Amino acid sequence: MIESSTRSARPGDLDAVLAFWKTAAEGTSISDDRAGVERLVARDPGALILAEQAGELVGTVIAGFDGWRCHLYRLAVHPERRRQGIGSALLAAAEERFVRLGGRRGDAMVLVRNETAHHAWRAAGYAPEEKWRRWTKPLTD
Ligand SMILES: CC(C)(COP(=O)(O)OP(=O)(O)OC[C@H]1O[C@@H](n2cnc3c(N)ncnc32)[C@H](O)[C@@H]1OP(=O)(O)O)[C@@H](O)C(=O)NCCC(=O)NCCS
């Protein structure tokens, strides 16, 4: 197994990250474009964490802390590199960041039908809270 390491994304990584999500992530979101990820990295440098194996991008997670909550997004590992502990390493790096910044509880939105993700989140110590439902409103056209 090739050794993997994690680091914060830099502005020069963003095109590769967007391309990576097309093959590795579950679904896409309204922020999935160059302007969206640029804004993330500009506003919260360190929030986008990458995993690499021999310099190749193999995983991502967004660990966003707004001073109040610790939100996890875009946990994704290259389809050919799964079950090697990369997802766990990304979550460990995210949690380290949260604790360093004063965060107290990690929080992730996980699709009900995404059973693989359920296994991974549970293995990392997360559990669902069935009493909540996501409420949203589009702010742009
Ligand atoms: C979810 C995902 C990020 C997990 O990444 P990963 O690098 O394969 O995870 P790890 O190797 O660190 O797995 C950690 C543990 O999670 C559990 N797990 C992970 N994938 C699993 C699977 N397919 N089936 C059962 N258990 C699984 C296991 O307990 C595993 O430990 P083990 O391999 O020692 O048994 C990866 O499957 C992925 O990118 N999926 C598509 C994107 C996605 O759905 N992301 C989540 C959005 S909420």
Side-chain angles (χ1 to χ4, degrees), residues 95-116:
E95 290 165 11
E96 234 169 71
R97 170 168 210 259
F98 289 146
V99 170
R100 200 168 58 240
L101 296 174
R104 296 175 184 174
R105 180 180 54 199
D107 183 316
M109 283 195 318
V110 184
L111 279 172
V112 172
R113 63 168 168 77
N114 190 349
E115 288 185 19
T116 304

Side-chain angles (χ1 to χ4, degrees), residues 61-64 70-73 75 87-99 103-110 117-130:
V61 71
I62 297 172
C70 305
H71 293 293
L72 291 151
Y73 317 90
L75 175 64
S88 308
L90 283 161
L91 288 179
E95 290 165 11
E96 234 169 71
R97 170 168 210 259
F98 289 146
V99 170
R104 296 175 184 174
R105 180 180 54 199
D107 183 316
M109 283 195 318
V110 184
H118 298 180
H119 290 300
W121 287 106
R122 273 192 204 281
Y126 293 74
E129 290 190 352
E130 304 292 352

